[in-house]
Amino acid sequence: MTMTLDKATGSAPAAPAPARRRHTGRDRTHHLRITLPLVVFLVLTLVPFYWMILYAFRPRGSNSLLPVPFTLDNFVYVWNTVGYDVYFRNSVIVALISMALTTVVSVAGGYAIARYRFAGRPALMVALLCTQFIPGAMLLIPLYSIFNSLGLVNNLWSLIIANVVFELPLTVILMSSFIQKIPFELEEAAMVDGCSRLRGFLAVILPQLRPALVAIGSFTFIGAWNSFLFALMFLSTQELFTIPVGLSYTVGEDSINYGVMAAGGLVAAVPVVVIFGFIQKFLVQGISGAVKG
Amino acid sequence: MTLTRTGRRAGVLGSLVAASALLTGCLSAGGGDTDAEGEVRLTYWDHSGNADESDTLRQILAEFEEQHEGVTVEFLSLPSDSALQKINTAISSDSTPDVSSISGSFLSPFVSQGALLDLEDYFAESSLRDELDPELVESVRGDAPDGVLHSLPFTGTSSILWYRSDWFAEAGIDAIPTWDGFFQTVAQLTDKSQGRYGFTIRGGEGSVFPLLQYAFAYTGIEDFFVDGEATVDDPAMVEAVQRYVDLYDVSTPTADLNNGYAPMVGQFDAGDIAIVQHNLGSLANHEEALPGAFAATTFPPSATGRNVVLSDPLQQYVVYEGTDHPDEAWELVEYLLSPEVNSRVNEMKSQLPTNVEARDDEWIGSIQALSAARDLQSSDDLAVVSPPLYLPEYSSIIRSDMEPVFQQVLAGQVAVADFLGQLAEKLEQAEAGFRSR
Amino acid sequence: MNALATTSARPGAARRRRRRGLTPWLLLSPIVVLISVFMAYPIINVLYTSFFHKNVVMPWNDGFAGLDNYRRMFFDDPTFWPSLGVTGRWVLVQVTCQLVVGLVLALIVNERFRARGPARALVFSPWAISGVLTTSIWLLLYNPSTGIITVLEKFGVSSVGFAPLADVDTAFWAAALAELWRGIPFFAILLLAEVQSIPHELYEAASVDGASRWRRFWHVTLPHLRNVIILSTLLRGVWEFNNVDLLYTLTNGGPGTSTTTLPLYVAQVATISSDFGYGSALTTVAFVILLVLSILYLRLSRLGKD
């Protein structure tokens, strides 16, 4: 675990075969091998983003390739008139609750799987893995009926539950392999000191799990933020729309008002891209930690 | 020890449940009902989801509330492409509004599900009986599969050709007197090197109905079914549609294949297109984008010399069976259809009012397109064909079944005759099923 | 990803685990409840409904259908078989390209260079973008009047008015490119994590032997990544099979049915036609196909063996 944390600071020799830049020949191959393809990747990744930003900030009718002159009209329209203020609030609610529930439930479940031996454990693991083959889109119809009979259609809870259910299996598996890597001796020592198991867990395990919690939490936040088909099916009224649903209607109805479409897209993109920027390193480490078991 | 542990767990769970209960309040959109003081709360859904129109509608509803002490109306706007599905959803989960606007093609599926209130008695006793255009009322009655009045039309529209009057003047063309003239003009005004196209075809969402409107107007066929056989695959129809399809990518932009109404109208407003076929509803867009440079004309007369119009589905108000306040809901419908309000709603949509008393309002006369449409509707030389909206499968045939095939026609993968043959077969099957019930 | 394979691999720790009967199940109860109610039951429900006529628009027609829905699917539905073909092509193109390009990207950003951190964050960022958002971005790019094509036209690279999404021959590839844009980072992140965990000594040993860069990749890197590649391609394959968001909003299956995948078709049947009986039959078939192919893939790839 500590090893993984060290890596996160970037000080470890991560590159297996670092090119030492001593000779100009080496320099050239370095550029050819790394700089050139990297620039190509960067351009291909960023041009679509730039295009959206350009249209979002450029006044209607301008053909400049720079967002100059600059306008916020599209954002004002999207936020106040189209209703992105409401969509945004709904998305935040859904993503936060989905994240919190998924994390709490996966920590509990992951701990049980990692620390206990019980009848049915292997079967449970197989079942969790099998859920990965279940297409969410294809359960739309029965899920709709279930939520309908629970009175949760056109209610954000239906969306939250669906998000949690479809994120859970993977997060539980990841969480259990994280917990497994924490030496049991640490907990034992705490219990010898007179702590209850729960206290031992809170005092010893939880702090160690911080990178895992960041990885899993942000993973589910982004997943819930982006969740579209369930939201489209379960939510009927504009007051409850989340950003992806609102965006899909913007695409459908304002598809000629490019600035509005781009501004809506930017509102949808900024939170996840910012979060991603912060956690990207953790994500790589988090997956790596889980994968290595 | 064990006790403490479970106790704490219960505490965590308990607070989660409590939090849920708190949140449920703000996480669901509550349907209107009577609250403690006996106040009546109605819910009204608009099916055509449009941010600008919503403001006007909210204003109108607020005035209704002022005039009706103790009644409040909650307004929701549904996005137009999924309004049908959303209301279907609400019907199957018993969460319908009290009143909503619908498009003509929703009527039959809703009536089939028993979701709409019978309005016959209310209407018979209302002053609306003498005010609404009787032909339109009769046509919505006929569109319901049970032949009972479940809805009242609030907007009449008709399909027309919008054209660039400035381009026409430049080229010395003054009108589109015949269909041959139409095709000639389209060819003449196309100049791809300048990004100018004579016409634009709706190839995406909602493509089939306007195509049929053109085909009926061109051929002059005056019935949709003859002895249970659909007329849409008549050789004359095949020829008409072929001529239309041949324009694609020659005199129209390639991107047409994906265009629904918004991008189609958008192209015209962007100044790339000489003629576009659409209804009156896009007037405001043209006013804004091309002031003084556009005009409208009704379709030229058909091959038989008569004007044939395949009527547009009417927008209508309905009251849902699930309402707890049918009387107040009816009052709302009555209010929305009163001459003054009906006039305002239609002025906002730039469509023709259904309340005859609103038809002579000044604003209509000042809009050339509308008065042209109004004049055509009162002409003697007009045959109106009604699409079989009473078939519950009608929308899904016209939309989900046939739209992809029409794209294949435009892309040259399916022959026009096969496309119309398939369409006819599906319609005939549905018609036969309807007759046998 | 091979967490599963290794969870029971620590007998020492396992022996010390407590054997209290109920505690683990108590901890797992939320998971068990959620998954049985919202996954297991719906699957059984889909299977059951597939033998019924159920269409909210035509309630008088509802009732037991026997195999009618399946007969209609296999013999009478002009969309079903083509949609299977499109699905296969979509999954194959996505998984192959995402894996190959993702691996290249992972190896590049694993090297040392200036501003590596920000560069990584930037090239990985489409990972976090939703299908719908990808649609709105790429619609702008592909639109003949707003897109990148307007710039290309000026340089004479593209013909005027070219609309990639409106052409039956190009729409599939245009949609595929948009999906690759956000799919490649997925593999790159996953593989980078794994590449970083390759013990340095392995490379050093190979360097001493004078192995070329290519040989080191082939004999050290790739074998080390084997299990992760097998599992991630499988998961990604399933995910791309089921991916509806992007196609639903970008092309809605068109032009014609050239981008209609089976799950997209299910979504259309469910949302536009409200034909739940037939939609359930389609779902059942898709589920069976997915399960059989996944098992076959795991068998053939001999996961965990050498």
Side-chain angles (χ1 to χ4, degrees):
Chain A
M1 203 67 218
T2 34
M3 288 251 313
T4 344
L5 278 175
D6 282 344
K7 266 191 196 172
T9 64
S11 60
R20 288 192 187 85
R21 274 179 278 144
R22 219 173 283 157
H23 310 292
T24 46
R26 280 273 177 125
D27 254 3
R28 199 173 304 130
T29 58
H30 177 86
H31 283 311
L32 214 63
R33 224 162 37 74
I34 295 166
T35 318
L36 184 71
L38 192 70
V39 168
V40 172
F41 269 114
L42 273 172
V43 168
L44 291 181
T45 311
L46 297 181
V47 162
F49 279 126
Y50 180 73
W51 218 252
M52 175 172 66
I53 294 167
L54 180 65
Y55 271 85
F57 289 109
R58 204 169 66 174
R60 230 178 157 173
S62 158
N63 273 327
S64 144
L65 282 180
L66 291 171
V68 185
F70 178 89
T71 174
L72 287 174
D73 288 356
N74 292 322
F75 290 91
V76 172
Y77 183 80
V78 154
W79 195 260
N80 292 337
T81 311
V82 186
Y84 273 68
D85 52 341
V86 179
Y87 306 161
F88 194 88
R89 191 200 66 198
N90 291 335
S91 272
V92 169
I93 293 176
V94 168
L96 282 181
I97 299 180
S98 303
M99 175 182 82
L101 287 180
T102 312
T103 315
V104 170
V105 174
S106 6
V107 169
Y111 185 80
I113 292 174
R115 287 290 194 251
Y116 290 90
R117 273 242 151 142
F118 49 92
R121 185 172 169 277
L124 182 77
M125 294 297 284
V126 172
L128 286 178
L129 188 69
C130 277
T131 58
Q132 293 308 298
F133 300 107
I134 298 171
M138 300 194 176
L139 295 189
L140 272 180
I141 298 166
L143 277 175
Y144 177 79
S145 316
I146 294 174
F147 287 125
N148 189 14
S149 54
L150 292 176
L152 291 180
V153 163
N154 205 24
N155 182 315
L156 292 183
W157 277 109
S158 55
L159 180 55
I160 293 170
I161 292 172
N163 287 339
V164 171
V165 168
F166 280 85
E167 299 280 3
L168 254 188
L170 205 61
T171 55
V172 172
I173 293 173
L174 289 178
M175 195 54 91
S176 79
S177 63
F178 267 115
I179 295 177
Q180 214 151 40
K181 287 192 316 174
I182 301 171
F184 189 60
E185 290 77 9
L186 286 176
E187 253 179 293
E188 269 184 334
M191 280 190 285
V192 168
D193 290 345
C195 286
S196 73
R197 190 147 195 183
L198 182 63
R199 289 272 293 280
F201 172 81
L202 291 178
V204 178
I205 307 286
L206 214 51
Q208 299 267 343
L209 279 181
R210 204 179 302 149
L213 290 174
V214 171
I216 285 171
S218 52
F219 188 75
T220 45
F221 184 93
I222 291 174
W225 182 269
N226 288 343
S227 167
F228 169 61
L229 213 56
F230 289 139
L232 183 75
M233 189 77 177
F234 299 152
L235 308 175
S236 302
T237 48
Q238 245 158 335
E239 278 66 13
L240 291 177
F241 281 178
T242 53
I243 293 246
V245 184
L247 193 60
S248 79
Y249 287 120
T250 307
V251 168
E253 305 200 345
D254 280 308
S255 52
I256 41 161
N257 198 345
Y258 307 108
V260 168
M261 188 161 96
L266 209 56
V267 171
V270 164
V272 278
V273 170
V274 167
I275 292 175
F276 180 80
F278 279 117
I279 56 120
Q280 173 262 129
K281 240 191 259 175
F282 277 104
L283 202 63
V284 173
Q285 305 310 330
I287 293 169
S288 162
V291 167
K292 293 325 289 171
Chain B
M1 275 269 273
T2 323
L3 262 178
T4 349
R5 190 161 61 230
T6 43
R8 285 208 186 148
R9 253 188 72 77
V12 172
L13 274 182
S15 49
L16 266 177
V17 172
S20 323
L22 269 178
L23 281 160
T24 323
C26 74
L27 294 187
S28 63
D33 262 321
T34 315
D35 62 19
E37 295 92 49
E39 191 172 291
V40 173
R41 281 170 56 199
L42 296 175
T43 312
Y44 174 82
W45 287 4
D46 177 58
H47 80 287
S48 59
N50 174 315
D52 298 326
E53 290 185 10
S54 293
D55 287 341
T56 311
L57 285 171
R58 277 203 186 86
Q59 179 62 32
I60 288 173
L61 293 174
E63 288 166 22
F64 173 79
E65 288 174 347
E66 270 168 38
Q67 293 175 22
H68 295 76
E69 192 73 22
V71 181
T72 56
V73 186
E74 192 179 334
F75 173 82
L76 285 178
S77 154
L78 300 177
S80 65
D81 10 342
S82 66
L84 174 61
Q85 182 239 325
K86 295 295 180 196
I87 305 179
N88 264 330
T89 301
I91 292 172
S92 61
S93 58
D94 289 326
S95 52
T96 52
D98 300 282
V99 180
S100 86
S101 62
I102 61 167
S103 155
S105 56
F106 301 3
L107 184 64
S108 172
F110 293 177
V111 171
S112 304
Q113 295 173 73
L116 302 181
L117 207 64
D118 175 347
L119 299 179
E120 293 284 6
D121 292 343
Y122 283 114
F123 185 64
E125 287 167 22
S126 164
S127 61
L128 287 179
R129 206 172 54 133
D130 306 319
E131 291 173 8
L132 292 188
D133 184 331
E135 275 179 41
L136 298 181
V137 173
E138 205 38 57
S139 98
V140 299
R141 192 181 270 127
D143 288 344
D146 57 1
V148 169
L149 190 70
H150 291 280
S151 63
L152 289 172
F154 66 90
T155 276
T157 189
S158 69
S159 197
I160 48 172
L161 298 171
W162 297 101
Y163 63 91
R164 288 293 296 273
S165 47
D166 53 341
W167 294 10
F168 272 51
E170 232 170 73
I173 308 165
D174 37 62
I176 309 172
T178 62
W179 281 110
D180 285 336
F182 165 80
F183 284 101
Q184 226 166 24
T185 306
V186 166
Q188 190 185 339
L189 292 179
T190 300
D191 183 353
K192 281 189 174 182
S193 65
Q194 285 192 45
R196 277 187 176 196
Y197 300 90
F199 192 59
T200 175
I201 290 178
R202 183 161 173 177
E205 160 268 315
S207 60
V208 177
F209 187 71
L211 177 76
L212 293 181
Q213 286 190 307
Y214 150 78
F216 275 93
Y218 182 95
T219 58
I221 292 175
E222 294 182 18
D223 296 285
F224 208 93
F225 287 108
V226 176
D227 301 329
E229 302 277 313
T231 56
V232 294
D233 61 346
D234 187 281
M237 289 281 191
V238 176
E239 187 212 306
V241 173
Q242 186 66 56
R243 204 167 176 193
Y244 192 83
V245 165
D246 286 343
L247 294 176
Y248 173 68
D249 213 12
V250 175
S251 307
T252 81
T254 321
D256 276 3
L257 198 66
N258 284 332
N259 286 355
Y261 113 84
M264 177 183 73
V265 170
Q267 281 181 333
F268 180 74
D269 293 336
D272 301 341
I273 309 290
I275 307 174
V276 64
Q277 173 194 344
H278 190 241
N279 60 39
L280 298 165
S282 50
L283 172 72
N285 307 42
H286 311 322
E287 281 284 7
E288 194 193 329
L290 306 164
F294 72 98
T297 174
T298 50
F299 286 167
S302 69
T304 65
R306 291 248 285 169
N307 284 302
V308 176
V309 171
L310 178 65
S311 58
D312 277 273
L314 295 162
Q315 301 193 37
Q316 11 198 310
Y317 296 121
V318 296
V319 177
Y320 290 86
E321 192 66 52
T323 179
D324 292 328
H325 309 288
D327 293 344
E328 286 82 359
W330 169 255
E331 274 173 38
L332 176 60
V333 170
E334 230 175 4
Y335 172 79
L336 289 169
L337 284 169
S338 63
E340 192 257 336
V341 178
N342 187 236
S343 177
R344 263 166 78 192
V345 168
N346 280 287
E347 188 175 2
M348 159 184 96
K349 291 177 178 285
S350 46
Q351 309 266 27
L352 266 184
T354 53
N355 194 314
V356 185
E357 292 183 17
R359 287 253 174 100
D360 294 323
D361 282 9
E362 208 175 312
W363 62 269
I364 299 177
S366 67
I367 298 172
Q368 173 258 342
L370 272 177
S371 42
R374 187 183 53 185
D375 295 347
L376 179 71
Q377 284 194 356
S378 51
S379 127
D380 294 333
D381 227 9
L382 175 77
V384 176
V385 182
S386 301
L389 290 171
Y390 51 84
L391 300 173
E393 301 98 321
Y394 174 79
S395 299
S396 80
I397 292 174
I398 290 284
R399 296 287 316 273
S400 38
D401 292 352
M402 296 315 293
E403 277 174 16
V405 189
F406 183 58
Q407 287 188 325
Q408 288 169 327
V409 171
L410 290 178
Q413 293 181 324
V414 170
V416 168
D418 293 341
F419 162 71
L420 291 175
Q422 275 184 48
L423 175 61
E425 196 190 320
K426 282 176 195 284
L427 289 167
E428 285 159 10
Q429 256 176 25
E431 174 79 1
F434 180 74
R435 295 282 160 232
S436 68
R437 264 198 311 279
Chain C
M1 284 302 125
N2 47 17
L4 271 181
T6 56
T7 35
S8 53
R10 296 174 52 123
R15 218 178 298 124
R16 264 172 275 142
R17 285 185 191 119
R18 304 204 165 178
R19 287 161 201 272
R20 286 250 189 87
L22 275 182
T23 319
W25 286 112
L26 209 67
L27 290 171
L28 286 164
S29 56
I31 299 173
V32 174
V33 170
L34 283 173
I35 288 179
S36 4
V37 175
F38 297 104
M39 264 186 181
Y41 169 74
I43 292 170
I44 295 166
N45 185 284
V46 161
L47 196 65
Y48 176 80
T49 312
S50 72
F51 298 107
F52 286 82
H53 288 298
K54 195 178 176 211
N55 187 338
V56 294
V57 179
M58 296 189 277
W60 58 85
N61 220 1
D62 290 358
F64 185 67
L67 291 173
D68 273 8
N69 287 327
Y70 290 94
R71 195 175 308 130
R72 173 177 160 198
M73 186 188 324
F74 293 131
F75 303 109
D76 277 343
D77 186 337
T79 313
F80 173 71
W81 292 107
S83 79
L84 266 189
V86 175
T87 316
R89 204 149 63 109
W90 177 259
V91 171
L92 214 65
V93 167
Q94 287 303 327
V95 174
T96 316
C97 297
Q98 287 182 19
L99 172 67
V100 172
V101 184
L103 182 58
V104 171
L105 181 59
L107 292 175
I108 291 173
V109 297
N110 189 45
E111 300 275 338
R112 262 194 216 163
F113 53 87
R114 240 173 299 153
R116 188 172 70 171
R120 271 187 193 172
L122 284 178
V123 287
F124 287 169
S125 57
W127 177 87
I129 299 300
S130 69
V132 188
L133 181 49
T134 309
T135 289
S136 60
I137 294 174
W138 286 81
L139 270 185
L140 276 177
L141 277 172
Y142 284 146
N143 188 310
S145 54
T146 63
I148 202 84
I149 284 152
T150 52
V151 179
L152 296 181
E153 274 167 12
K154 279 183 199 148
F155 297 101
V157 186
S158 164
S159 62
V160 173
F162 176 62
L165 290 171
D167 188 323
V168 191
D169 301 320
T170 54
F172 178 88
W173 298 103
L177 185 65
E179 177 65 14
L180 282 176
W181 176 72
R182 75 181 181 126
I184 287 168
F186 170 88
F187 270 96
I189 291 173
L190 214 64
L191 294 173
L192 176 62
E194 198 63 8
V195 168
Q196 288 181 345
S197 73
I198 299 175
H200 209 217
E201 303 82 60
L202 285 181
Y203 285 104
E204 275 164 5
S207 292
V208 170
D209 293 346
S212 70
R213 200 176 288 281
W214 174 248
R215 286 177 63 91
R216 272 179 304 190
F217 169 75
W218 198 250
H219 293 287
V220 180
T221 315
L222 217 48
H224 190 87
L225 298 179
R226 184 166 177 276
N227 279 347
V228 135
I229 289 178
I230 292 173
L231 262 176
S232 56
T233 46
L234 177 64
L235 283 177
R236 197 62 176 174
V238 172
W239 197 89
E240 285 296 351
F241 185 103
N242 290 324
N243 174 14
V244 173
D245 296 9
L246 178 95
L247 290 174
Y248 188 94
T249 47
L250 187 66
T251 65
N252 199 11
T257 52
S258 58
T259 56
T260 304
T261 60
L262 184 54
L264 176 61
Y265 185 44
V266 173
Q268 286 172 340
V269 168
T271 57
I272 302 173
S273 312
S274 320
D275 193 343
F276 287 3
Y278 188 55
S280 296
L282 288 169
T283 303
T284 307
V285 168
F287 187 56
V288 169
I289 292 174
L290 212 52
L291 206 65
V292 170
L293 287 183
S294 301
I295 291 169
L296 265 180
Y297 182 81
L298 281 177
R299 276 280 156 79
L300 288 177
S301 64
R302 294 180 304 158
L303 175 69
K305 295 167 197 150
D306 277 312

